[in-house]
Amino acid sequence: MYDDAERCVRAVRSRDSRFDGWFFTAVRSTRIYCRPSCPAIVPRIENLRFYPSAAAAQQAGYRACKRCRPDASPGSPLWDVRADLVARAMRLIADGVVDRDGVPGLAAQLGYSTRQVQRQLLAELGAGPLALARAQRAQTARLLIETSDLPMGDVAFAAGFASIRAFNDAVREIFALSPTDLRHRAARAPIPLVTVPGSAESSQPAGPAHSTGLAVPMRPVGTLSLRLPFRAPLCPDNLFGHLAATAIPGVEQWRDGAFHRTLRLPHGPAAVALRPRPDHVACQLTLTDLRDLSTAISRCRRLLDLDADPVAVDAHLAEDPTLARLVHAAPGRRVPRTPDPDEFAVRAILGQQVSTAAARTHARRLVEALGPRVDGLGGALTHLFPTMRDLADGLPGLDEAALAFPRSRRIALTALVEALAERTIDLGAGADWHHARVQLTALPGLGPWTVESIAMRALGDPDAFLPTDLGVRRAAADLGLPTSAGGLGAHSTAWRPWRSYAVQYLWATSDHPINRMPDQPRSATA
């Protein structure tokens, strides 16, 4: 959109927050870049320049606006909609791959040469992978500077900078303030505090947890209270309702109006509590290594589908009269996704042709048998979901009574975890959606319902569709739509490329627990 100057100018003049994250507005006279909705932008149009990313604006010599904080705007919905090289690269960069493995590691996961990746990112986003990762590091650093009392050396380490000098230079260049001045400025305008011990010792890496059946000591370096922005509207009912209704005991739970779960992050275990608010999602992160902060935030945003553009989605779906009433009744439905695509693929098989309660029971037994315990979290969070290697090694030794489902489903589960453990199938942030579907379909026992469920919630394809799903077919019958898989599939082509969201609206016609938060009465959804 950034190359359509006339459209960008209209968005800036109307201060339309729907376009925050779609592009960034830079002012030549002040050398500042802003969100399109920034209330401070009143310059002459000829002084405006538009950039597709914050990193591109920074590379062009602009610093971030201190008023609208463009670095904290919702991410571009393009990266969740598209499946091309640039979109896959952006999802991997957000997940911290460049900080962990460098640009060669990014290119290897994408299956392209380093030169090809750099060329395509530069052509479309005006910045290469290093600049994009640097912008993300700066955003993480700012968050820790403003909301914690960590020493600056620990902040630099946690944000992923290689040296204090690189950290200082980046903060001064992007925010036009030293790290100390940035902290002092935040102290004069208090924002939610992050409780983080300030010792350098506390931020040393704890190391990843992979031991099957062993207790993993959870030594938190702190609990961070953050706000996750989103594009309005957001309907929390099916989003948090689905997560709560399908929660695996020990790994997930709904408590005190929030969804809690454990996370397996690159440098150690973590826990998160996510609570819907009118204009943001309150996020409380408990980390064992602060280097995982940006990755944890990215995965939580992906779990809740917070970078979606609900206005575009709903406007398209409402063009179909059969969906219009559902859309207008509860606009802004999101697709409940997952912080761990491999985990969800396993859960999809456990949920084949059984009730939600039965699927939770199977998952709980699997976690208790093979998932590492996590000590020190308190409450009902006691385990990490097992790794695919844990499952591949442990499934053959499990008593068949522990997983009381048909032999064909056990074969399907074994084949899937072996493929994921050996990395012959990639479901991660940089996965090729079409190729992953082909590979999943080739496995025994994975039919269209399972594959499309994985595509919708693990891969994040916004156009996945489940024409054979019982809830979808019942909703179709109530709405007067075709109920056969072929007929409903043909009708759904009008909903493309947002059929995953259409599924959410169809599911919401029932009074199933997935459609309401546990605190809501049954009649609220019915």
Side-chain angles (χ1 to χ4, degrees):
M1 175 182 174
Y2 77 98
D3 55 357
D4 187 343
E6 184 178 345
R7 191 178 177 196
C8 290
V9 167
R10 288 200 303 269
V12 170
R13 281 177 168 166
S14 61
R15 294 187 171 91
D16 195 334
S17 61
R18 293 177 300 171
F19 293 97
D20 289 353
W22 277 99
F23 68 93
F24 296 84
T25 305
V27 184
R28 289 198 303 169
S29 56
T30 62
R31 307 303 297 174
I32 293 173
Y33 75 94
C34 304
R35 304 175 185 229
S37 64
C38 181
I41 301 180
V42 286
R44 291 157 54 175
I45 299 304
E46 56 267 26
N47 281 337
L48 297 183
R49 293 293 180 271
F50 305 107
Y51 291 93
S53 65
Q58 292 165 16
Q59 284 209 140
Y62 295 91
R63 67 169 177 82
C65 176
K66 297 174 184 177
R67 183 170 180 181
C68 72
R69 298 169 59 96
D71 54 304
S73 61
S76 172
L78 283 175
W79 317 135
D80 285 340
V81 174
R82 290 166 39 180
D84 56 19
L85 171 61
V86 171
R88 292 163 57 206
M90 289 300 290
R91 292 197 288 270
L92 285 171
I93 292 171
D95 199 54
V97 167
V98 172
D99 289 333
R100 295 192 297 271
D101 304 324
V103 179
L106 172 68
Q109 288 204 38
L110 293 168
Y112 287 81
S113 70
T114 300
R115 181 176 294 181
Q116 286 175 304
V117 173
Q118 289 176 326
R119 183 170 61 247
Q120 292 213 30
L121 286 174
L122 191 61
E124 182 159 345
L125 291 166
L130 287 177
L132 292 162
R134 179 175 179 265
Q136 181 169 287
R137 286 195 295 272
Q139 180 181 346
T140 302
R142 180 175 188 166
L143 181 66
L144 289 173
I145 290 168
E146 293 183 335
T147 61
S148 80
D149 57 358
L150 275 176
M152 293 303 177
D154 285 3
V155 172
F157 169 81
F161 287 96
S163 67
I164 297 293
R165 181 174 181 177
F167 162 70
N168 286 331
D169 289 347
V171 171
R172 286 180 182 275
E173 179 183 336
I174 294 172
F175 305 117
L177 291 169
S178 70
T180 302
D181 290 340
L182 201 57
R183 177 166 285 174
H184 288 164
R185 186 175 185 273
R188 294 193 295 271
I191 50 183
L193 178 67
V194 174
T195 307
V196 183
S199 67
E201 180 182 2
S202 69
S203 61
Q204 294 304 309
H210 297 295
S211 300
T212 303
L214 298 180
V216 179
M218 181 78 175
R219 294 185 290 271
V221 296
T223 299
L224 294 81
S225 298
L226 317 170
R227 291 185 172 199
L228 304 183
F230 56 76
R231 292 177 183 82
L234 181 143
C235 176
D237 300 352
N238 73 300
L239 179 59
F240 286 91
H242 204 124
L243 297 174
T246 60
I248 304 174
V251 176
E252 304 164 312
Q253 70 171 149
W254 179 268
R255 185 179 77 245
D256 301 329
F259 175 70
H260 300 250
R261 73 156 290 156
T262 57
L263 299 170
R264 185 189 299 276
L265 298 175
H267 299 100
V272 65
L274 298 162
R275 180 176 284 104
R277 297 297 191 207
D279 61 349
H280 68 278
V281 172
C283 172
Q284 192 171 61
L285 275 168
T286 302
L287 301 172
T288 52
D289 193 309
L290 288 173
R291 290 177 296 174
D292 285 328
L293 175 59
S294 62
T295 299
I297 292 173
S298 173
R299 293 184 184 180
C300 289
R301 293 191 65 82
R302 188 164 177 78
L303 168 67
L304 301 180
D305 195 18
L306 295 185
D307 290 325
D309 184 351
V311 174
V313 173
D314 289 351
H316 181 74
L317 294 180
E319 291 177 0
D320 186 333
T322 58
L323 289 186
R325 178 178 58 84
L326 305 179
V327 171
H328 294 151
R333 292 193 184 275
R334 301 302 209 271
V335 178
R337 292 181 178 164
T338 175
D340 185 339
D342 291 354
E343 172 193 314
F344 181 80
V346 170
R347 294 172 69 166
I349 289 182
L350 297 180
Q352 288 178 342
Q353 298 179 339
V354 297
S355 67
T356 300
R360 290 182 67 201
T361 299
H362 291 321
R364 175 182 58 79
R365 290 172 178 170
L366 208 58
V367 165
E368 290 175 350
L370 301 174
R373 286 189 59 85
V374 181
D375 295 333
L377 284 179
L381 298 183
T382 57
H383 286 76
L384 295 172
F385 195 86
T387 66
M388 296 304 106
R389 188 72 270 160
D390 292 340
L391 290 173
D393 293 342
L395 276 175
L398 279 186
D399 183 356
E400 290 195 10
L403 292 178
F405 48 64
R407 182 172 177 272
S408 60
R409 198 171 307 158
R410 193 178 184 113
I411 291 173
L413 181 60
T414 301
L416 175 70
V417 298
E418 283 287 356
L420 294 174
E422 297 298 329
R423 300 183 181 276
T424 56
I425 294 181
D426 178 19
L427 302 179
D432 181 313
W433 297 342
H434 174 72
H435 186 55
R437 274 185 170 93
V438 171
Q439 291 181 301
L440 289 169
T441 302
L443 294 177
L446 272 70
W449 181 90
T450 306
V451 172
E452 287 302 296
S453 295
I454 294 171
M456 180 170 65
R457 296 192 57 195
L459 293 171
D461 184 351
D463 198 40
F465 191 58
L466 310 174
T468 61
D469 180 82
L470 182 59
V472 170
R473 294 178 67 181
R474 284 177 174 171
D478 291 342
L479 295 170
L481 298 174
T483 56
S484 67
L488 187 54
H491 184 89
S492 74
T493 58
W495 304 335
R496 305 191 77 166
W498 309 115
R499 292 188 296 176
S500 291
Y501 296 87
V503 169
Q504 307 309 312
Y505 283 106
L506 292 172
W507 276 341
T509 60
S510 76
D511 193 29
H512 194 283
I514 66 170
N515 293 316
R516 61 179 181 273
M517 292 188 291
D519 305 331
Q520 285 183 332
R522 291 177 62 88
S523 60
T525 301

